[in-house]
Structures are given as structure tokens and as C-alpha cells.
Amino acid sequence: MSPKARAVSLFVIVACFTVLIFGGAQISKHKPPIPARAVAPSGEVVFTAEDVALGQRQYLSRGGQQTGSVWGHGAYLAPDWSADALHRTGLVTAGMKRGLAPADAARFTQADLTALPAGERGRVEAEVAEELRQNRYDPATDTLTLSPGQVAAYPALVAYYTQLFRDGNDPMSIPAGFVPDAADAKAITAFFFWTAWAAGTNRPGETFTYTANFPFDPLVGNGPLPSSLVWSIVSMVLLILGTALAIFYYLRLRAKDPEHHVKIAPLQEPKPTPSQRAALPYFAVAIILFILQAALGSLTGHFAVEGNKLFGIDLGMLLPYAATRGWHLQLAVFWIATCWLATGLFIGPAVAGGHEPKGQKALVWTLLGALVVVVVGALAGTYLGVRGKLSGPNGWLVGNQGYEYIELGRVWQVALIAGMLLWLFLVYRAIKPALKAEQDRGGLTHLLLYASVSIPLFYSVGLFYTPGTHIAVADYWRWWVVHLWVENFFEVFATVALAFILSKIGAVGERSATRATHFSILLYLGAGIIGTFHHLYFTGSPLFITALGATFSALEIVPLTLLGFEVYENLKLARSGGNATPWKWPLYFFVAVAFWNAVGAGVLGFLINPPIVLYYAQGLNTTPIHSHGALFGVYGFLAIALMLFSMRNIVRTAAWSDRLLEIAFWGLNAGLAGMIVLSLLPAGIYQLVIAVREGLWYARSPEVTGSAFIHAVTWARVLPDVVFVGGALALLGFVLRAIVLDVKLRRADPAGGEAATVRKAA
């Protein structure tokens, strides 16, 4: 790598992080205030900051974003509590504008509002918006004076949410006794009410709310801002321009390299080091976790049909939706990360030409044991938190932190970081000789080290907040982990790992692989770092965050448009040796990565990324369309591809089964495609149409989420789910068969038959 190219890459990364950190500082500075006290016009205290903080901690400890959502982030079955509380407050205020007494106004419904003559309804809605959008917060006294409608609405909300969490609700998958203590329910109401106040009250000196008028609700005057439309248009223009430039530079880059004639060397019987063989159990554990995750995904989806029941059996608090969804998301991270960590353990000695430091095998086994303890502890803590067994002030340390993908308690989070640091140490000590031998600090071995360092580094950002941190600030740091760690730096690690593997098998030249890797990393990080902001349009952020998020999230799609070239090139590689090539199915899984990167992350991601679309779509089933296509379609298949490349170099050739991999490949791809096309996409579009017409409050109401249409498309998931699980079981069968046969073959023939060539596997 030339000094000029290294300087450009370093400048881009530093500049992007500078913008990201500056944006975070502005989010913290301009976050919606939590008043020390909220009072009625008479001066009577309605709730305090302590009530809001307690309610936030209680909500998060019981699963938080797995039970409904706040400001659009969270689960999709129960209501968005911010939108729900805001609309209910608007209805009570509307009742008072009709001249009703507060007690009677609390019973004013949407049906009553709809029944009004058009002119009268227009007057009422205008007066409701005028009252609720006025900002009555006084920073000098840290006091919020509530409007008459808000004062009347608050006790009605307390009564409603207390009963809801005590008695449960099947369409929302909230079991009876979910929050049995009335004081806890009252505190949670204070938190919901405050998020609704921030969503419906104008920022000082502005004509839009703290959440940029999100969620859409005509009753309270919330509608999309012109800037959302403007930056959506700008993002589309930048996408077209960026794509054209990226293709130009991609083809120019390829033209600079000498023609590389693919000549994949025949695979000899693998002679792995002891630590490389010790990586095999990681893959078995990972795929078992994958099977469990897939099963929990089917169960979680089924809750949309029967609420708290499974084919008539009331699971209630025994296995609540919040627990199964939390496990489903955590296991996705756990099994994918396990595959990638195991790949790093395999590649270390491979980079060093078979060199293995003393004690490496024992440390690899130690790390596996530590990871199992963390996974079991995290899942148990998540469950106990949802069940209310760890909902005290310090319960989050081992219980449930309540944020999507990072639900695991702080103790398990720290333990996982410690495990990653041990993994980094193992990778470093294995590749240390190769690092010394590689003169270019931008070479593949050095890139592998940099990518490995980034994995524990960026996951540790999740320590920067607690359940008591202001939710706008907590969400900022959370997306550092979910977006930067998962979508960027694991992508960087995988890109480097695959470049190394492909260069070693002769599929690409090392110089070409290095240059292409640098180009990919620059594109991913140059757009992806600042692109983190596209998750924060409506989470109490300043308006300029929308501009940055919209433009750079569009540029994130640019490298994905190049994946058509990658699909073509890797299909050529996979077919170059005919059906007997030892790399056929590992390469086919990498083809799936490229395909789903373009479709799941690219097409389906851009479907919801523009601000004007996300304004209506955030919090709807449009998001799972993208998340399933991207999280499993990209990172899941990538984990499997890395696993297969590693296992191909570890297990004996006679232990390999192309037939099982063929079943797994087509089952997983067909199941995922069917899940999206038959279920998630129709449900998402159906909700989106309703959200554009009525508002998020209604699109997330039981009348919609429990409608006949949603039930029908949820049942339509059964067949693709069965196909998908069948593919997953075939993959598990392949891994277990390969490990068991490899052990038997090595016991029978320890020498390994070095001259044996690859034969067509069973």
C-alpha cells in the first residue's frame, strides 16, 4: 500500500469519526430536557424527574425494547408507547375542547373524534395542536407546566397502563402480571408520558418537536418536515452519483492489476495445527445456537397470531414474547460472532505458515468455555429480567439492559469483552511472526490485525451508558455497537479474512486482493461511520443529524451496488473446477453474501433509509424486511462462508459432504426469500399504508397488528420457516458429521495421507 493511499484512508476515517463524535456531543447538548418536576397550572406536582428515571429503568429491566417501542425503536407487536401516549393525550385534550369535564374527556375516543362534522373536527384538532405543541418548560426553574389537557390525560394514562400491565393483553403479547406493582406501572407511565411530551412539543424557538415531528399524528399537529423530503431527494441523487463514481474507480482499479489467471491449487489432505482443530467445536456450538435462534424466530413470529399462546397453550409468563424476541436477537449476534472469532483462530496459524505459539490450543479451549458461560449467563439474565426477578436498581448488572441486541447484563457484557480481548491476544501471538515479515503495514496481515483490534474496541462502546442514561444519549452509543460494530467493523474483518483465504487458494492474486480490500474498506467506513446517524433521525436529535444521516446512509449503498461484479466473479470461481472443486460450496455461500448484501442491505435498506420514508415507516414491519435480509442474509451467510473456508482446511476430505451443503444452501436461501416475500414484505407495506393515512399510533394498534391480514401473512411464514429450519438442520448435520468423521479418520490414520487429492465427497 502506497504512503499516499494510507494517508488518504487514515484521513477519511479520522474525519468521519470526528463528525460522528461532534454529532454525539450535539445530541447530548440538545436532547429533550427531563424536568425536575412537571406541575399543573395550579402548581401541584404531577410527576418528577425521579419518576421518569425510575420508569425508564423499570421499562428497560422488563425487556424494554422487546415490549413495544419508544420513538420507533423496539419491538413491533405491542404499541409504540410514545405514539400511543401522545395520541391518548390528544384525545383527552380534544374532549376538553368539546367542552367535556376532565373525567368525561378521559373517555373521549377516536370514534367520537371521527364522528364530528369536518369543520368541527378541524377546529378541535387545530386547538389540540396549538395547546400541546406549546413548550411550557422553564429551564431557569427546571419546571414543566403542563397544559389543562395534559393534566387531565395523565391520571387516565396511569389508570390505563396500570391495568394493561396488570391484566395483560393477548393481541399485544403482554402476559397478565407483567408489571403487577401499581407504583412501578405509574413510574413507567411517567416515562411514556415524558417521551410523548418530547414528541409533541416544539423545541424552543422552532416550529417542530424535539423528535422532528415524529411520530406522524394529525391530531396533535405532527407531520413530516420539508427537510425530510429535501434530504431524501438529495440522498437519491448522491446514490446515483456515488454509484457511477464507484463503478468507474472499481473498473479502473481492476485495469491496473495484471490479468490473474485463476488456477486453484488442488487441496491436499489438511494438516491443521492443534489450535486450529480446537476451533472446530466453536463451529458446532455456533450452528447449535443458530438452530435455536431460528426456532425462537418462528415462535416469536407466531405470537403475532395467538398473542400469549402457542397453538392454544397459554405460555404467559413462562415464555413471554419479550424473552423469546430478546433471545432471538442476542443469539443472532452470538452465533455469528462465534463463527467469526473461530475463523480468526484458524487464520492466525495459517498466516504464520503453520507456526503456533506454545499453549495456544489450551487457550483456545479456555476461550470457548468462557464464551459458553457468557452466552448461558446472558440468556438466563435476559429471561429473569423479563420475568421481573431482576428488576431492582442493580438488576441490570446481571439481568436485562433492555436495549435491542445489547440486552445482556453488564457483567456478561464485560465478560464478553474480556473474551474478545483474549481472542485478540490469541490472534496476535499467532500472526506475530508474519507481521514482522510483512514490510508493508498496509498488507493483508497488518489489515487482519487492525480489523481484529476493532472488534473488542467497538463492542466496548456499549459500556458508555446505563439504563439510567438519557435515552437520546443511550441510543447514540447503542447504535455505535449495532451499526459500527456489526455492520462496519465486522464487515471489515470478514473482508480481510476472505481476501486472505482467496489469495491463499489461488483464486486471486495477493496484490489484487490487498488493493481491492483497501478499496472496499474505504467505501464501507467512509460512508458507514457517519451513516450511523440514519438511525437517529427521530430520537431527540438536532435537525442537522437528519442531513448527515440521509446523505451518508445513501452512500453506504454505493459499495453494495458493486456486488453484482462480485457475484459474477465468485460464480466463475465456484464453477471453475466443476462439481468436484473443493471450494464450490464455500464460494457459493459467499455468492449468497454478495446477493443478499445487494438485496437485503442495499435495496431493502434503502427502501426505509430516506428520512421521508422512515418518518412513516420507523417502528413498523418494514424494518424486519431489511434486518432479516441484511443480518442473516449478509452476516449470517458470511459467518457460514468463513466457517466453511476454515473447515475445508481443517477436516479430512473424506469427512466433507457436498450433498448436505447443497441442501443447506438452497434451504436457507429459499426459506429467507420466502419469509420476506410471503410474510414480512406484505405485512410491512400494509402497515405503512395505514401509517401514512392514520398515523403510527393506529398502525401499531391491536386493531392492525391483530387484523385478519396480519394473521394471514404471519401464517404464510410457516412453509418458508420449515424450509429454512430444514436448511439449518442440514448445515448442523454437515458440521457434526465432519467433526466426528475427522476424529475417526485421524485416529485410524494419524499420518494423514499427505499425497491424497480431493475426491468427490459423500
Side-chain angles (χ1 to χ4, degrees), residues 23 26-28 30-32 71 203 208-212 472-473 475-476 533 535-546:
Q26 294 303 301
I27 288 173
S28 180
H30 297 286
K31 61 185 180 292
W71 292 342
R203 283 184 177 272
F208 54 86
T209 71
Y210 287 101
T211 58
V473 176
D475 239 14
Y476 167 76
F533 286 139
H535 299 285
L536 305 172
Y537 294 154
F538 312 117
T539 57
S541 304
L543 208 56
F544 77 89
I545 295 296
T546 301

Side-chain angles (χ1 to χ4, degrees), residues 257-549:
D257 288 322
E259 185 70 21
H260 176 72
H261 298 286
V262 176
K263 188 177 181 182
I264 299 179
L267 178 70
Q268 302 296 320
E269 281 293 350
K271 296 182 69 65
T273 67
S275 72
Q276 287 179 319
R277 291 199 65 221
L280 286 176
Y282 283 73
F283 296 127
V285 170
I287 303 306
I288 290 171
L289 294 179
F290 170 41
I291 299 289
L292 181 58
Q293 190 233 346
L296 286 167
S298 297
L299 175 60
T300 302
H302 186 79
F303 277 122
V305 176
E306 288 192 85
N308 294 311
K309 298 180 178 64
L310 177 64
F311 298 109
I313 302 172
D314 191 352
L315 297 179
M317 286 296 289
L318 178 64
L319 198 61
Y321 171 89
T324 63
R325 187 176 188 270
W327 283 344
H328 179 63
L329 296 183
Q330 284 186 69
L331 285 169
V333 175
F334 284 149
W335 81 262
I336 291 171
T338 300
C339 281
W340 291 2
L341 295 178
T343 299
L345 296 174
F346 158 75
I347 285 182
V351 169
H355 166 78
E356 182 168 293
K358 185 178 180 180
Q360 186 85 346
K361 176 183 175 182
L363 289 172
V364 169
W365 277 104
T366 300
L367 177 58
L368 178 60
L371 290 176
V372 170
V373 170
V374 169
V375 170
V376 173
L379 296 180
T382 297
Y383 177 76
L384 292 173
V386 171
R387 289 290 307 273
K389 306 299 183 182
L390 293 170
S391 58
N394 298 314
W396 64 280
L397 293 174
V398 292
N400 198 322
Q401 292 196 61
Y403 287 101
E404 279 185 305
Y405 298 102
I406 319 174
E407 298 88 350
L408 71 170
R410 182 56 54 90
V411 169
W412 311 115
Q413 192 177 15
V414 171
L416 184 56
I417 293 171
M420 291 179 187
L421 291 174
L422 174 57
W423 169 81
L424 175 61
F425 170 70
L426 294 176
V427 172
Y428 172 72
R429 73 197 299 254
I431 68 174
K432 188 176 179 180
L435 287 170
K436 291 181 178 179
E438 188 174 67
Q439 300 298 316
D440 182 7
R441 292 191 176 183
L444 281 180
T445 308
H446 279 81
L447 286 178
L448 180 64
L449 175 64
Y450 306 150
S452 299
V453 169
S454 71
I455 289 175
L457 178 65
F458 285 95
Y459 186 78
S460 66
V461 174
L463 302 177
F464 287 5
Y465 63 88
T466 71
T469 302
H470 192 292
I471 191 170
V473 176
D475 239 14
Y476 167 76
W477 290 118
R478 180 174 75 93
W479 284 109
W480 269 62
V481 179
V482 179
H483 182 87
L484 280 180
W485 184 64
V486 175
E487 296 186 38
N488 285 125
F489 285 97
F490 253 131
E491 181 93 40
V492 169
F493 172 78
T495 300
V496 175
L498 278 169
F500 172 79
I501 291 170
L502 292 175
S503 66
K504 291 303 178 185
I505 68 174
V508 295
E510 185 170 340
R511 183 179 177 185
S512 299
T514 303
R515 185 173 294 175
T517 300
H518 278 285
F519 182 66
S520 298
I521 290 173
L522 188 61
L523 286 179
Y524 280 124
L525 297 185
I529 293 171
I530 301 178
T532 305
F533 286 139
H534 84 262
H535 299 285
L536 305 172
Y537 294 154
F538 312 117
T539 57
S541 304
L543 208 56
F544 77 89
I545 295 296
T546 301
L548 290 172

Side-chain angles (χ1 to χ4, degrees), residues 137-191:
Y137 172 70
D138 182 2
T141 61
D142 200 12
T143 300
L144 170 63
T145 301
L146 301 177
S147 73
Q150 290 169 330
V151 172
Y154 187 76
L157 290 174
V158 170
Y160 170 71
Y161 290 129
T162 299
Q163 181 181 13
L164 174 64
F165 291 131
R166 182 190 65 220
D167 299 342
N169 182 288
D170 271 350
M172 298 181 188
S173 279
I174 297 175
F178 189 66
V179 183
D181 188 274
D184 290 342
K186 184 177 181 181
I188 292 174
T189 301
F191 172 60

